[in-house]
Amino acid sequence: QVHLVQSGAEVKKAGSSVKVSCKASGGSMDSGGSFSNFGVSWVRQAPGQGLEWMGGIIPLFSATNYAHNFQGRMTITADKETGIAHMELSSLRSEDTAIYFCARSEFERIFRGRTYEFYYYGMNVWGQGTTVVVS
Amino acid sequence: EIVMTQSPLYLPVTPGEPASISCKSNQSLQHGNGNDYLDWYLQKPGQSPQLLIYLGSYRASGVPDRFSGSGSGTDFTLRISRVEAEDVGVYYCMQALQTPTFGQGTKVDI
């Protein structure tokens, strides 16, 4: 049984950065003990609000994708061997106060035009969430 | 950006009765490979979301068979054949054809 364990709650000042970790544990290396064959998505939820996909990474191909709202101030990294992913968000503002979730994603890699496109779907294992408060 | 619209936003249910949630997108979610990139998630109170349905109609591992997903293109439906008390929470659809976006959520309550 694969689990994703996230780092603890953070309180940050506006303008600073936060880095949240997500570690995969349990299961074999092939079935998901690491991220070798999966993607990792980051999703956040502001207080009382819905879900917002922020970005993702496919460690196997070292490919990252960011939602438009977060391009330029979000960085996602992952080590497929250790099964640890990180999400760093900079230039924090009060609106970034939220619970941040990591989730293991299925993905498809499809060649289109001159490049590969990655599709993140089927987020089937979720971390417990990390509360980030920006004051 | 693909916009996802769910209805209703609040759904009172009765245990043992069926229930359904609609999800519409402002453009087709069907890829040229034939897949519809549409997932359904349930977030129970105080918990992380959990995957129910992926690619429109495929039930995720461990999900009871009372949950089913249908639809194609721009119109999708999540059905619960017989609601149980443990099904309360907020249901979200999510498109994955482009940068993923979620619907507003449908709160299901008994």
Side-chain angles (χ1 to χ4, degrees), chain A residues 20-108:
Chain A
V20 180
S21 68
C22 172
K23 179 172 174 56
S25 63
S28 72
M29 293 297 281
D30 288 333
S31 67
S34 69
F35 299 128
S36 295
N37 298 312
F38 298 94
V40 180
S41 289
W42 288 88
V43 175
R44 76 176 184 181
Q45 186 170 39
Q49 301 301 307
L51 303 173
E52 181 179 25
W53 192 87
M54 303 174 67
I57 187 168
I58 312 292
L60 182 63
F61 298 103
S62 300
T64 53
N65 300 84
Y66 300 100
H68 178 75
N69 287 349
F70 300 99
Q71 284 179 353
R73 69 181 189 109
M74 181 180 182
T75 302
I76 300 173
T77 56
D79 185 326
K80 61 181 182 290
E81 299 303 325
T82 63
I84 301 176
H86 292 95
M87 182 281 296
E88 185 169 21
L89 190 62
S90 62
S91 302
L92 290 171
R93 35 201 186 243
S94 59
E95 309 89 271
D96 293 318
T97 294
I99 300 174
Y100 290 76
F101 297 99
C102 63
R104 190 185 77 174
S105 297
E106 300 288 342
F107 74 92
E108 285 191 44

